[in-house]
Amino acid sequence: MLEIESLKQELKNINSEAAKIRDLPVEQRADFGKKINARRQEILAKIAEAERALLDIEVEPIDITAWSGVNEPLPEFYLTDMGSIHPLMSELDRVIKIYQMMGFDVIEARQLDDEFHMFDSLNFAKEHPARDGYDTFRTEEGYIPPAHTSTMQHRVLKSYRKKLEKGENIAVVVPGRVFRNEDVDATHEHTFYQCEGVYVSEKCTMGNMLGILREFFEKYYGQKLNIRTQPGYFPFTEPSLEFMIEKPKSLGGKKGDFLEMLGCGMIHPNVLKMAGIDPARYHGFAWGGGIDRLVMLKYGLDDVRHFESGNLRFLKEF
Ligand code: DAH
């Protein structure tokens, strides 16, 4: 931060120096102007770089050592005299717990990010229409409240690539809050939660990915499930899939009632390369899916808007 402050101060100094141009003889002005401008450009580039570096800091796993009975009642500390933990948060803890039991580290996503992490680092070509698919919000300064947790992939890959050099695998999940400029209705919210998964090793396959996902959903719903995939498209995976589960009978499903739960695929070589991982040597898969949808199915909820409503009658049901 300090570096940015002093660069900004330097920029101010240059700007006030530039005002002196008026006192110079006409023939010296062009040369003076050029020099000042060159210095100004140099400082502006340094400021942009320092701001980028700020957003690019290394990520560290969070340690959640709470209870481990994923399908058991919540422990006492989830209930307080003042109310209770929001159902999305307690269910998110169950989700995280399952992945932790499978050996995944947990990294929290951020709620404000930038163009590079939202798009460029994920192999979205500049001006590519796939960028429009995300109904992205932007702040006036050009920052982005992330439209998916995939914005964290680049940071995870970069921070964890040392593990690969030591012969270990990368296995990380990233829960986070995401934002989209949606027309809100019973199945669409502007603010919701996702959980991203990233796995990289020398020898992983799509079969491993489907095994992990099946295991996750069966643990979360506490029963065996039928799964199905269909081809999808994401610039950051090749091939890309949509992963579906058959709605269980116990949750009101009929045979053949398949629900899309998340997007996934083998991490695109360009995404690995940009994070400094050699795609000729290492392979990876990644996935990302909504938490709200997961919880709605579990509790038979028909309207996603309940979650952000603050309606006590709804919250007291949990
Ligand atoms: N980020 C995608 C979305 O929100 C979901 C997704 C697809 C995440 C494929 C991934 C992935 O990590 O590999 O629509």
Short mmCIF file of all heavy atoms in Angstrom, two decimals, residues 160-214:
data_model
loop_
_atom_site.label_atom_id
_atom_site.label_comp_id
_atom_site.label_asym_id
_atom_site.label_seq_id
_atom_site.Cartn_x
_atom_site.Cartn_y
_atom_site.Cartn_z
N TYR A 160 -0.07 -22.81 -5.13
CA TYR A 160 0.13 -24.22 -4.78
C TYR A 160 1.09 -24.96 -5.71
O TYR A 160 1.35 -26.13 -5.50
CB TYR A 160 -1.22 -24.95 -4.78
CG TYR A 160 -1.96 -24.82 -3.47
CD1 TYR A 160 -2.66 -23.67 -3.16
CD2 TYR A 160 -1.96 -25.86 -2.54
CE1 TYR A 160 -3.34 -23.54 -1.96
CE2 TYR A 160 -2.64 -25.75 -1.34
CZ TYR A 160 -3.33 -24.59 -1.06
OH TYR A 160 -3.99 -24.47 0.13
N ARG A 161 1.60 -24.27 -6.75
CA ARG A 161 2.38 -25.03 -7.72
C ARG A 161 3.67 -25.61 -7.11
O ARG A 161 4.20 -26.59 -7.58
CB ARG A 161 2.67 -24.22 -8.98
CG ARG A 161 3.66 -23.13 -8.79
CD ARG A 161 3.99 -22.41 -10.05
NE ARG A 161 4.80 -21.29 -9.67
CZ ARG A 161 4.68 -20.06 -10.14
NH1 ARG A 161 3.80 -19.80 -11.07
NH2 ARG A 161 5.47 -19.10 -9.71
N LYS A 162 4.14 -25.00 -5.99
CA LYS A 162 5.33 -25.54 -5.30
C LYS A 162 5.09 -26.99 -4.87
O LYS A 162 5.99 -27.78 -4.81
CB LYS A 162 5.65 -24.71 -4.05
CG LYS A 162 6.15 -23.33 -4.35
CD LYS A 162 6.11 -22.45 -3.11
CE LYS A 162 5.06 -21.40 -3.27
NZ LYS A 162 4.38 -20.86 -2.18
N LYS A 163 3.82 -27.29 -4.54
CA LYS A 163 3.49 -28.65 -4.11
C LYS A 163 3.79 -29.65 -5.21
O LYS A 163 4.27 -30.75 -4.95
CB LYS A 163 1.99 -28.75 -3.78
CG LYS A 163 1.63 -28.27 -2.42
CD LYS A 163 0.25 -28.80 -2.07
CE LYS A 163 0.19 -29.20 -0.62
NZ LYS A 163 -1.00 -29.93 -0.28
N LEU A 164 3.49 -29.26 -6.44
CA LEU A 164 3.74 -30.17 -7.57
C LEU A 164 5.23 -30.48 -7.67
O LEU A 164 5.63 -31.61 -7.90
CB LEU A 164 3.24 -29.55 -8.88
CG LEU A 164 1.74 -29.31 -8.99
CD1 LEU A 164 1.41 -28.59 -10.29
CD2 LEU A 164 0.96 -30.62 -8.90
N GLU A 165 6.04 -29.41 -7.49
CA GLU A 165 7.48 -29.61 -7.58
C GLU A 165 7.98 -30.59 -6.52
O GLU A 165 8.95 -31.29 -6.70
CB GLU A 165 8.22 -28.27 -7.46
CG GLU A 165 8.07 -27.43 -8.71
CD GLU A 165 8.11 -25.93 -8.45
OE1 GLU A 165 8.63 -25.52 -7.39
OE2 GLU A 165 7.58 -25.16 -9.31
N LYS A 166 7.24 -30.64 -5.37
CA LYS A 166 7.63 -31.58 -4.31
C LYS A 166 7.02 -32.96 -4.52
O LYS A 166 7.09 -33.82 -3.66
CB LYS A 166 7.16 -31.04 -2.94
CG LYS A 166 8.04 -29.91 -2.43
CD LYS A 166 7.76 -29.65 -0.96
CE LYS A 166 6.88 -28.44 -0.80
NZ LYS A 166 6.23 -28.26 0.47
N GLY A 167 6.33 -33.15 -5.66
CA GLY A 167 5.73 -34.46 -5.94
C GLY A 167 4.35 -34.64 -5.33
O GLY A 167 3.80 -35.74 -5.33
N GLU A 168 3.78 -33.55 -4.75
CA GLU A 168 2.43 -33.66 -4.19
C GLU A 168 1.40 -33.14 -5.19
O GLU A 168 1.75 -32.57 -6.20
CB GLU A 168 2.35 -32.83 -2.90
CG GLU A 168 3.26 -33.34 -1.80
CD GLU A 168 3.39 -32.35 -0.65
OE1 GLU A 168 2.43 -31.58 -0.41
OE2 GLU A 168 4.45 -32.34 -0.02
N ASN A 169 0.11 -33.35 -4.88
CA ASN A 169 -0.95 -32.87 -5.77
C ASN A 169 -1.54 -31.57 -5.25
O ASN A 169 -1.42 -31.26 -4.07
CB ASN A 169 -2.07 -33.90 -5.84
CG ASN A 169 -1.56 -35.26 -6.25
OD1 ASN A 169 -0.56 -35.35 -6.97
ND2 ASN A 169 -2.21 -36.30 -5.79
N ILE A 170 -2.22 -30.86 -6.14
CA ILE A 170 -2.99 -29.69 -5.70
C ILE A 170 -4.43 -30.15 -5.52
O ILE A 170 -5.01 -30.73 -6.44
CB ILE A 170 -2.95 -28.57 -6.75
CG1 ILE A 170 -1.51 -28.10 -7.00
CG2 ILE A 170 -3.84 -27.40 -6.33
CD1 ILE A 170 -1.39 -27.01 -8.07
N ALA A 171 -4.99 -29.93 -4.35
CA ALA A 171 -6.39 -30.30 -4.09
C ALA A 171 -6.98 -29.21 -3.20
O ALA A 171 -6.71 -29.16 -2.00
CB ALA A 171 -6.49 -31.67 -3.42
N VAL A 172 -7.75 -28.31 -3.80
CA VAL A 172 -8.24 -27.14 -3.07
C VAL A 172 -9.70 -26.88 -3.43
O VAL A 172 -10.08 -27.02 -4.59
CB VAL A 172 -7.41 -25.88 -3.45
CG1 VAL A 172 -7.93 -24.64 -2.76
CG2 VAL A 172 -5.94 -26.08 -3.13
N VAL A 173 -10.52 -26.52 -2.44
CA VAL A 173 -11.85 -26.00 -2.76
C VAL A 173 -11.96 -24.55 -2.31
O VAL A 173 -11.29 -24.13 -1.37
CB VAL A 173 -13.01 -26.83 -2.12
CG1 VAL A 173 -13.14 -28.19 -2.78
CG2 VAL A 173 -12.87 -26.93 -0.62
N VAL A 174 -12.77 -23.80 -3.02
CA VAL A 174 -12.90 -22.37 -2.76
C VAL A 174 -14.37 -21.98 -2.67
O VAL A 174 -15.03 -21.82 -3.69
CB VAL A 174 -12.25 -21.54 -3.89
CG1 VAL A 174 -12.17 -20.07 -3.48
CG2 VAL A 174 -10.90 -22.07 -4.29
N PRO A 175 -14.90 -21.88 -1.45
CA PRO A 175 -16.28 -21.39 -1.32
C PRO A 175 -16.28 -19.87 -1.44
O PRO A 175 -15.31 -19.22 -1.08
CB PRO A 175 -16.66 -21.81 0.10
CG PRO A 175 -15.36 -21.89 0.84
CD PRO A 175 -14.29 -22.23 -0.17
N GLY A 176 -17.36 -19.32 -1.96
CA GLY A 176 -17.39 -17.86 -2.05
C GLY A 176 -18.75 -17.33 -2.46
O GLY A 176 -19.62 -18.06 -2.93
N ARG A 177 -18.89 -16.02 -2.24
CA ARG A 177 -20.13 -15.34 -2.57
C ARG A 177 -19.96 -14.74 -3.97
O ARG A 177 -18.92 -14.14 -4.25
CB ARG A 177 -20.31 -14.22 -1.56
CG ARG A 177 -21.67 -13.66 -1.49
CD ARG A 177 -21.68 -12.64 -0.38
NE ARG A 177 -23.03 -12.37 0.05
CZ ARG A 177 -23.37 -11.36 0.83
NH1 ARG A 177 -22.43 -10.54 1.27
NH2 ARG A 177 -24.61 -11.18 1.17
N VAL A 178 -20.95 -14.92 -4.83
CA VAL A 178 -20.81 -14.41 -6.20
C VAL A 178 -22.00 -13.55 -6.58
O VAL A 178 -23.07 -13.64 -5.95
CB VAL A 178 -20.60 -15.57 -7.21
CG1 VAL A 178 -19.31 -16.30 -6.95
CG2 VAL A 178 -21.77 -16.53 -7.18
N PHE A 179 -21.82 -12.74 -7.60
CA PHE A 179 -22.80 -11.70 -7.93
C PHE A 179 -23.07 -11.65 -9.43
O PHE A 179 -22.13 -11.65 -10.22
CB PHE A 179 -22.26 -10.35 -7.49
CG PHE A 179 -21.76 -10.33 -6.07
CD1 PHE A 179 -20.45 -10.68 -5.78
CD2 PHE A 179 -22.62 -10.01 -5.02
CE1 PHE A 179 -19.99 -10.69 -4.46
CE2 PHE A 179 -22.17 -10.01 -3.71
CZ PHE A 179 -20.85 -10.35 -3.43
N ARG A 180 -24.34 -11.60 -9.81
CA ARG A 180 -24.66 -11.47 -11.24
C ARG A 180 -25.80 -10.50 -11.45
O ARG A 180 -26.73 -10.44 -10.64
CB ARG A 180 -25.03 -12.83 -11.84
CG ARG A 180 -23.84 -13.74 -11.89
CD ARG A 180 -24.04 -14.95 -12.73
NE ARG A 180 -22.96 -15.91 -12.44
CZ ARG A 180 -22.89 -17.12 -12.93
NH1 ARG A 180 -23.81 -17.54 -13.77
NH2 ARG A 180 -21.89 -17.91 -12.61
N ASN A 181 -25.70 -9.80 -12.56
CA ASN A 181 -26.73 -8.82 -12.90
C ASN A 181 -27.94 -9.55 -13.52
O ASN A 181 -28.19 -9.45 -14.70
CB ASN A 181 -26.11 -7.81 -13.87
CG ASN A 181 -27.02 -6.66 -14.14
OD1 ASN A 181 -28.07 -6.52 -13.48
ND2 ASN A 181 -26.67 -5.83 -15.09
N GLU A 182 -28.64 -10.30 -12.67
CA GLU A 182 -29.73 -11.17 -13.13
C GLU A 182 -31.08 -10.49 -12.98
O GLU A 182 -31.27 -9.67 -12.08
CB GLU A 182 -29.82 -12.43 -12.23
CG GLU A 182 -28.66 -13.35 -12.28
CD GLU A 182 -28.79 -14.38 -13.39
OE1 GLU A 182 -29.69 -14.23 -14.25
OE2 GLU A 182 -27.99 -15.33 -13.40
N ASP A 183 -32.05 -10.89 -13.81
CA ASP A 183 -33.44 -10.57 -13.51
C ASP A 183 -33.85 -11.58 -12.44
O ASP A 183 -33.87 -12.78 -12.69
CB ASP A 183 -34.31 -10.77 -14.75
CG ASP A 183 -34.11 -9.63 -15.73
OD1 ASP A 183 -33.76 -8.52 -15.27
OD2 ASP A 183 -34.28 -9.85 -16.93
N VAL A 184 -34.14 -11.07 -11.23
CA VAL A 184 -34.37 -11.97 -10.10
C VAL A 184 -35.74 -12.64 -10.23
O VAL A 184 -36.73 -12.00 -10.51
CB VAL A 184 -34.27 -11.17 -8.78
CG1 VAL A 184 -34.69 -12.03 -7.61
CG2 VAL A 184 -32.84 -10.66 -8.60
N ASP A 185 -35.76 -13.98 -10.05
CA ASP A 185 -37.02 -14.71 -9.97
C ASP A 185 -36.81 -15.91 -9.04
O ASP A 185 -35.79 -15.99 -8.37
CB ASP A 185 -37.56 -15.10 -11.35
CG ASP A 185 -36.62 -16.04 -12.10
OD1 ASP A 185 -35.85 -16.78 -11.45
OD2 ASP A 185 -36.66 -16.05 -13.34
N ALA A 186 -37.76 -16.86 -9.05
CA ALA A 186 -37.70 -17.95 -8.07
C ALA A 186 -36.42 -18.79 -8.19
O ALA A 186 -36.00 -19.43 -7.22
CB ALA A 186 -38.93 -18.84 -8.20
N THR A 187 -35.79 -18.79 -9.37
CA THR A 187 -34.58 -19.61 -9.52
C THR A 187 -33.32 -18.79 -9.81
O THR A 187 -32.26 -19.35 -10.03
CB THR A 187 -34.76 -20.66 -10.66
OG1 THR A 187 -35.17 -19.96 -11.85
CG2 THR A 187 -35.80 -21.70 -10.30
N HIS A 188 -33.43 -17.46 -9.82
CA HIS A 188 -32.25 -16.62 -10.08
C HIS A 188 -32.12 -15.53 -9.04
O HIS A 188 -33.09 -14.82 -8.78
CB HIS A 188 -32.34 -15.95 -11.46
CG HIS A 188 -32.34 -16.93 -12.58
ND1 HIS A 188 -33.49 -17.48 -13.06
CD2 HIS A 188 -31.32 -17.48 -13.28
CE1 HIS A 188 -33.19 -18.33 -14.04
NE2 HIS A 188 -31.88 -18.35 -14.19
N GLU A 189 -30.93 -15.40 -8.46
CA GLU A 189 -30.65 -14.33 -7.50
C GLU A 189 -29.46 -13.53 -8.00
O GLU A 189 -28.59 -14.07 -8.69
CB GLU A 189 -30.31 -14.93 -6.14
CG GLU A 189 -31.38 -14.75 -5.08
CD GLU A 189 -31.63 -13.31 -4.65
OE1 GLU A 189 -31.09 -12.36 -5.26
OE2 GLU A 189 -32.39 -13.13 -3.68
N HIS A 190 -29.37 -12.25 -7.61
CA HIS A 190 -28.19 -11.46 -7.98
C HIS A 190 -27.00 -11.82 -7.12
O HIS A 190 -25.86 -11.60 -7.47
CB HIS A 190 -28.49 -9.96 -7.87
CG HIS A 190 -29.10 -9.59 -6.55
ND1 HIS A 190 -28.38 -9.60 -5.39
CD2 HIS A 190 -30.37 -9.26 -6.22
CE1 HIS A 190 -29.19 -9.25 -4.39
NE2 HIS A 190 -30.40 -9.04 -4.87
N THR A 191 -27.27 -12.37 -5.91
CA THR A 191 -26.20 -12.73 -4.98
C THR A 191 -26.40 -14.17 -4.56
O THR A 191 -27.49 -14.52 -4.10
CB THR A 191 -26.27 -11.83 -3.73
OG1 THR A 191 -26.14 -10.47 -4.15
CG2 THR A 191 -25.15 -12.15 -2.75
N PHE A 192 -25.40 -15.00 -4.75
CA PHE A 192 -25.53 -16.39 -4.32
C PHE A 192 -24.16 -16.96 -3.98
O PHE A 192 -23.17 -16.22 -3.98
CB PHE A 192 -26.28 -17.24 -5.35
CG PHE A 192 -25.71 -17.22 -6.74
CD1 PHE A 192 -24.98 -18.30 -7.22
CD2 PHE A 192 -25.90 -16.14 -7.58
CE1 PHE A 192 -24.45 -18.31 -8.51
CE2 PHE A 192 -25.38 -16.14 -8.87
CZ PHE A 192 -24.65 -17.22 -9.33
N TYR A 193 -24.12 -18.24 -3.63
CA TYR A 193 -22.86 -18.85 -3.20
C TYR A 193 -22.46 -19.98 -4.14
O TYR A 193 -23.32 -20.67 -4.67
CB TYR A 193 -22.98 -19.38 -1.77
CG TYR A 193 -23.05 -18.25 -0.78
CD1 TYR A 193 -24.25 -17.59 -0.57
CD2 TYR A 193 -21.92 -17.80 -0.13
CE1 TYR A 193 -24.33 -16.51 0.29
CE2 TYR A 193 -21.98 -16.73 0.73
CZ TYR A 193 -23.19 -16.08 0.94
OH TYR A 193 -23.25 -15.01 1.78
N GLN A 194 -21.15 -20.10 -4.33
CA GLN A 194 -20.64 -21.21 -5.13
C GLN A 194 -19.50 -21.88 -4.37
O GLN A 194 -18.92 -21.31 -3.46
CB GLN A 194 -20.06 -20.71 -6.46
CG GLN A 194 -21.10 -20.36 -7.50
CD GLN A 194 -20.47 -20.13 -8.88
OE1 GLN A 194 -19.31 -19.73 -8.99
NE2 GLN A 194 -21.24 -20.36 -9.92
N CYS A 195 -19.18 -23.10 -4.80
CA CYS A 195 -17.97 -23.73 -4.30
C CYS A 195 -17.21 -24.26 -5.51
O CYS A 195 -17.75 -24.98 -6.34
CB CYS A 195 -18.28 -24.83 -3.31
SG CYS A 195 -16.78 -25.48 -2.55
N GLU A 196 -15.95 -23.85 -5.59
CA GLU A 196 -15.08 -24.23 -6.69
C GLU A 196 -14.17 -25.36 -6.22
O GLU A 196 -13.80 -25.39 -5.04
CB GLU A 196 -14.21 -22.99 -7.01
CG GLU A 196 -13.40 -23.08 -8.24
CD GLU A 196 -14.23 -22.70 -9.48
OE1 GLU A 196 -15.40 -22.30 -9.32
OE2 GLU A 196 -13.70 -22.85 -10.58
N GLY A 197 -13.79 -26.24 -7.11
CA GLY A 197 -12.80 -27.27 -6.77
C GLY A 197 -11.70 -27.25 -7.81
O GLY A 197 -11.96 -27.05 -9.01
N VAL A 198 -10.46 -27.43 -7.36
CA VAL A 198 -9.33 -27.46 -8.29
C VAL A 198 -8.42 -28.63 -7.89
O VAL A 198 -8.04 -28.76 -6.72
CB VAL A 198 -8.49 -26.15 -8.20
CG1 VAL A 198 -7.33 -26.18 -9.18
CG2 VAL A 198 -9.37 -24.94 -8.46
N TYR A 199 -8.10 -29.48 -8.86
CA TYR A 199 -7.23 -30.61 -8.58
C TYR A 199 -6.21 -30.72 -9.71
O TYR A 199 -6.56 -30.69 -10.88
CB TYR A 199 -8.06 -31.90 -8.51
CG TYR A 199 -7.25 -33.09 -8.04
CD1 TYR A 199 -7.18 -33.43 -6.69
CD2 TYR A 199 -6.51 -33.84 -8.95
CE1 TYR A 199 -6.41 -34.49 -6.26
CE2 TYR A 199 -5.73 -34.91 -8.54
CZ TYR A 199 -5.68 -35.22 -7.19
OH TYR A 199 -4.91 -36.28 -6.76
N VAL A 200 -4.92 -30.82 -9.34
CA VAL A 200 -3.87 -30.97 -10.36
C VAL A 200 -2.87 -32.01 -9.90
O VAL A 200 -2.46 -32.02 -8.73
CB VAL A 200 -3.12 -29.63 -10.60
CG1 VAL A 200 -2.07 -29.78 -11.71
CG2 VAL A 200 -4.07 -28.50 -10.96
N SER A 201 -2.49 -32.90 -10.81
CA SER A 201 -1.43 -33.86 -10.50
C SER A 201 -0.82 -34.32 -11.82
O SER A 201 -1.22 -33.86 -12.88
CB SER A 201 -2.00 -35.06 -9.74
OG SER A 201 -2.70 -35.89 -10.64
N GLU A 202 0.15 -35.24 -11.73
CA GLU A 202 0.76 -35.69 -12.98
C GLU A 202 -0.17 -36.62 -13.74
O GLU A 202 -0.10 -36.74 -14.94
CB GLU A 202 2.10 -36.37 -12.70
CG GLU A 202 3.24 -35.36 -12.72
CD GLU A 202 4.60 -36.00 -12.65
OE1 GLU A 202 5.03 -36.59 -13.66
OE2 GLU A 202 5.23 -35.91 -11.58
N LYS A 203 -1.01 -37.33 -12.99
CA LYS A 203 -1.76 -38.39 -13.67
C LYS A 203 -3.23 -38.39 -13.34
O LYS A 203 -3.76 -39.41 -12.92
CB LYS A 203 -1.22 -39.74 -13.15
CG LYS A 203 0.12 -40.13 -13.69
CD LYS A 203 0.32 -41.62 -13.49
CE LYS A 203 1.77 -42.01 -13.64
NZ LYS A 203 2.43 -42.33 -12.40
N CYS A 204 -3.93 -37.29 -13.42
CA CYS A 204 -5.35 -37.40 -13.08
C CYS A 204 -6.20 -37.46 -14.34
O CYS A 204 -5.79 -37.00 -15.40
CB CYS A 204 -5.78 -36.29 -12.14
SG CYS A 204 -5.66 -34.68 -12.86
N THR A 205 -7.37 -38.03 -14.20
CA THR A 205 -8.25 -38.21 -15.36
C THR A 205 -9.65 -37.69 -15.05
O THR A 205 -9.98 -37.44 -13.89
CB THR A 205 -8.40 -39.70 -15.70
OG1 THR A 205 -9.11 -40.33 -14.61
CG2 THR A 205 -7.06 -40.38 -15.89
N MET A 206 -10.44 -37.62 -16.10
CA MET A 206 -11.84 -37.24 -15.94
C MET A 206 -12.56 -38.23 -15.01
O MET A 206 -13.46 -37.87 -14.28
CB MET A 206 -12.47 -37.26 -17.32
CG MET A 206 -13.80 -36.65 -17.35
SD MET A 206 -13.74 -35.10 -18.20
CE MET A 206 -14.13 -35.64 -19.81
N GLY A 207 -12.14 -39.49 -15.08
CA GLY A 207 -12.75 -40.52 -14.23
C GLY A 207 -12.56 -40.18 -12.75
O GLY A 207 -13.46 -40.35 -11.93
N ASN A 208 -11.36 -39.69 -12.40
CA ASN A 208 -11.10 -39.28 -11.01
C ASN A 208 -12.05 -38.16 -10.61
O ASN A 208 -12.60 -38.13 -9.51
CB ASN A 208 -9.67 -38.77 -10.82
CG ASN A 208 -8.62 -39.80 -11.17
OD1 ASN A 208 -7.60 -39.50 -11.77
ND2 ASN A 208 -8.88 -41.06 -10.82
N MET A 209 -12.23 -37.23 -11.55
CA MET A 209 -13.11 -36.08 -11.24
C MET A 209 -14.54 -36.55 -10.97
O MET A 209 -15.16 -36.15 -9.98
CB MET A 209 -13.11 -35.09 -12.41
CG MET A 209 -14.08 -33.95 -12.23
SD MET A 209 -14.02 -32.78 -13.58
CE MET A 209 -15.05 -33.61 -14.78
N LEU A 210 -15.05 -37.42 -11.84
CA LEU A 210 -16.43 -37.88 -11.66
C LEU A 210 -16.57 -38.66 -10.37
O LEU A 210 -17.59 -38.60 -9.68
CB LEU A 210 -16.87 -38.72 -12.87
CG LEU A 210 -16.91 -37.93 -14.19
CD1 LEU A 210 -17.32 -38.81 -15.35
CD2 LEU A 210 -17.84 -36.72 -14.09
N GLY A 211 -15.50 -39.40 -10.00
CA GLY A 211 -15.52 -40.15 -8.74
C GLY A 211 -15.62 -39.20 -7.55
O GLY A 211 -16.40 -39.43 -6.62
N ILE A 212 -14.84 -38.12 -7.58
CA ILE A 212 -14.85 -37.15 -6.48
C ILE A 212 -16.23 -36.49 -6.38
O ILE A 212 -16.80 -36.35 -5.29
CB ILE A 212 -13.76 -36.08 -6.69
CG1 ILE A 212 -12.38 -36.70 -6.45
CG2 ILE A 212 -13.97 -34.88 -5.76
CD1 ILE A 212 -11.22 -35.77 -6.77
N LEU A 213 -16.78 -36.11 -7.54
CA LEU A 213 -18.07 -35.41 -7.52
C LEU A 213 -19.18 -36.34 -7.03
O LEU A 213 -20.03 -35.96 -6.22
CB LEU A 213 -18.39 -34.85 -8.90
CG LEU A 213 -17.46 -33.73 -9.36
CD1 LEU A 213 -17.79 -33.28 -10.77
CD2 LEU A 213 -17.54 -32.53 -8.41
N ARG A 214 -19.17 -37.59 -7.52
CA ARG A 214 -20.19 -38.53 -7.06
C ARG A 214 -20.10 -38.68 -5.53
O ARG A 214 -21.09 -38.61 -4.82
CB ARG A 214 -20.02 -39.90 -7.72
CG ARG A 214 -20.95 -40.95 -7.13
CD ARG A 214 -20.56 -42.34 -7.52
NE ARG A 214 -20.95 -42.70 -8.88
CZ ARG A 214 -22.18 -43.03 -9.25
NH1 ARG A 214 -23.16 -43.02 -8.36
NH2 ARG A 214 -22.45 -43.36 -10.49
#
